[in-house]
Amino acid sequence: MAEQSSDALGTVEQALSALLEDVSPLESETLPLAQAGGRVLAGDQMARLDVPAFDNSAMDGYALRAADAGQWLPVSQRVAAGSAPEPLEPGTCARLFTGAPVPSGADCVVMQERVEREGERARFPAELTAGDSIRRRGRDVASGSVLLAAGTWLDAAALGHLAGQGVVEVEVRRRPRVALLSTGDEVIDPGTPLGPGQLYNTNRPMLTRLLESFGAEVGRCVSVPDDFDETRAILGEVAFDADVVISTGGVSVGEEDHVKHALESLGRLDLWRLAIRPGKPLALGRLPARHGDTRFIGLPGNPVSSFVGAWLFLRPLMGALSGCPTLDALPAITATADFATRTGPRSHYMRAALAFTPEGPVATAFADQNSGVLSSCVGADVLVVVPANTAVAKGDAVTCLWIKGG
């Protein structure tokens, strides 16, 4: 990638291009199905069985031939779920229950509420259609078809789909290993009394949870002092066996911001500073590691900037390393702005709540959009994208990126 000018501010698109250049999915591993939730399927999973495995009843009722509609018919057999019915004798019906196999010779099922029963015979409505209330074999899944494609995120439904095929273990991508660094002598962990000028580390638990929701495994969490030599040593050490190194703070232009220079001295800086708000001070690059290069992302120290940067950059990177296309881009929705704003030379990613009204989605931006106001993220459903040098009036259509659920 071409080197960025020291004065130029990069775009989100340029940052993603630099970040994802030459990224390929990590190796795979085989896990028991019970441990595979939240992982990404490494290869296509083929269906072994038809689902349903046989024609079965969609409800409690009676099976018969549609040609026998409107008649009194003797009940020739009772079929429960899990049993094997006899072929249906001509001119008879079968009592059966939801999920029970439909006897051969029957071509429709009538719900019990529509049937008149007297002893061992039943009368049916005059108009019936072949195929009514029968779930045909293979309607959901056909044996030999692709059950789940490579790159599928194994959520609850996908796990159930696999279990329905009798799958007991599955090949998935290894989780990306992440080292998470917190810079600054003033940043301390909760549980320690605050001293003068100190603050608690909000970024570490916040980013750990987000990264885990993106499929990553957060390994080492290290506090980095405001010292160039120590910063350089820690970067080199944690990068050795990590897939990604992420730091918060230390990437701006202050005298105590050592991360950018340490990165340049050890490896390579691909991009520095973006034309976005929040999150202007962002550093992307590579660090030498045991097997090739380790990706480096230096997020700003302000918690809102780190939060936004995680959704914009960490999520697609974890998706690329996991081979999961659904993490490539945040889902976008168009909404009506319940606010007014104007941007300068940087695009603004505003935290907003989204309400679904009869007239359509409405986005209400939090009043204080300062990068230090983490409360604006707590209730946020979306990031409203306002391009640079743009005025938004109340009632205008705006593009929103869905972020709820991290």
Side-chain angles (χ1 to χ4, degrees):
M1 177 176 176
E3 186 175 346
Q4 179 190 16
S5 166
S6 60
D7 297 323
L9 296 180
T11 65
V12 170
E13 293 73 21
Q14 288 172 329
L16 286 171
S17 177
L19 183 64
L20 301 178
E21 184 181 17
D22 301 327
V23 173
S24 57
L26 299 169
E27 66 272 16
S28 63
E29 58 185 353
T30 300
L31 291 180
L33 186 63
Q35 298 175 20
R39 304 296 286 270
V40 177
L41 200 61
D44 290 349
Q45 180 72 46
M46 308 305 291
R48 307 170 181 174
L49 307 170
D50 289 329
V51 179
F54 46 82
D55 292 352
N56 69 87
S57 177
M59 59 190 62
D60 292 349
Y62 295 81
L64 68 155
R65 293 171 175 84
D68 291 335
Q71 302 182 46
W72 282 95
L73 301 175
V75 180
S76 60
Q77 60 181 305
R78 182 180 186 275
V79 187
S83 65
E86 298 293 331
L88 189 69
E89 298 176 10
T92 71
C93 65
R95 174 70 164 131
L96 80 174
F97 301 89
T98 303
V102 176
S104 62
D107 61 12
C108 69
V109 172
V110 181
M111 70 172 66
Q112 60 190 19
E113 291 83 357
R114 298 182 65 200
V115 178
E116 185 180 350
R117 179 78 182 258
E118 286 186 357
E120 292 305 312
R121 64 181 192 147
R123 185 169 68 177
F124 296 89
E127 295 183 1
L128 298 176
T129 303
D132 280 357
S133 302
I134 295 177
R135 295 184 291 218
R136 294 295 186 190
R137 176 175 180 168
R139 175 179 177 175
D140 185 14
V141 178
S143 176
S145 66
V146 176
L147 181 75
L148 294 172
T152 298
W153 182 277
L154 297 182
D155 58 10
L159 292 175
H161 216 30
L162 290 166
Q165 292 287 312
V167 173
V168 296
E169 59 181 22
V170 63
E171 188 177 0
V172 297
R173 294 292 175 189
R174 175 174 66 78
R175 291 188 188 275
R177 289 189 292 262
V178 175
L180 185 56
L181 312 183
S182 304
T183 69
D185 292 336
E186 77 281 10
V187 180
I188 64 171
D189 292 329
T192 304
L194 287 172
Q198 291 184 324
L199 68 157
Y200 286 124
N201 190 340
T202 57
N203 282 324
R204 181 175 291 167
M206 178 180 71
L207 291 178
T208 295
R209 173 61 197 134
L210 283 173
L211 286 162
E212 289 173 348
S213 74
F214 302 154
E217 174 188 326
V218 179
R220 300 190 59 184
C221 293
V222 183
S223 295
V224 183
D226 289 327
D227 179 87
F228 173 79
D229 290 334
E230 288 199 55
T231 299
R232 187 179 187 278
I234 290 171
L235 280 178
E237 178 190 355
V238 300
F240 185 69
D241 57 1
D243 300 305
V244 181
V245 175
I246 299 166
S247 73
T248 56
V251 291
S252 191
V253 294
E255 292 183 10
E256 298 298 333
D257 292 326
H258 301 296
V259 172
K260 173 178 175 284
H261 301 301
L263 170 64
E264 290 176 306
S265 72
L266 282 170
R268 147 183 153 193
L269 177 69
D270 290 329
L271 185 142
W272 179 54
R273 301 193 306 169
L274 294 181
I276 66 172
R277 174 185 171 211
K280 177 183 176 182
L282 179 98
L284 304 177
R286 315 284 181 92
L287 289 164
R290 178 185 300 172
H291 302 294
D293 291 335
T294 288
R295 256 60 179 187
F296 173 84
I297 304 178
L299 295 171
N302 282 324
V304 176
S305 299
S306 283
F307 180 83
V308 172
W311 284 103
L312 295 181
F313 305 113
L314 301 187
R315 184 178 184 269
L317 178 58
M318 298 307 136
L321 290 168
S322 302
C324 185
T326 57
L327 296 180
D328 286 351
L330 289 168
I333 186 171
T334 300
T336 299
D338 191 29
F339 61 92
T341 191
R342 180 184 294 274
T343 57
R346 291 186 284 160
S347 299
H348 195 179
Y349 288 79
M350 303 180 70
R351 282 75 64 207
L354 197 67
F356 292 92
T357 73
E359 293 74 32
V362 175
T364 302
F366 287 87
D368 192 343
Q369 293 283 323
N370 185 275
S371 62
V373 180
L374 190 56
S375 57
S376 68
C377 301
V378 174
D381 302 305
V382 295
L383 299 175
V384 179
V385 184
V386 185
N389 304 308
T390 299
V392 173
K394 189 172 182 179
D396 285 352
V398 290
T399 298
C400 305
L401 302 179
W402 188 259
I403 61 170
K404 201 67 176 178

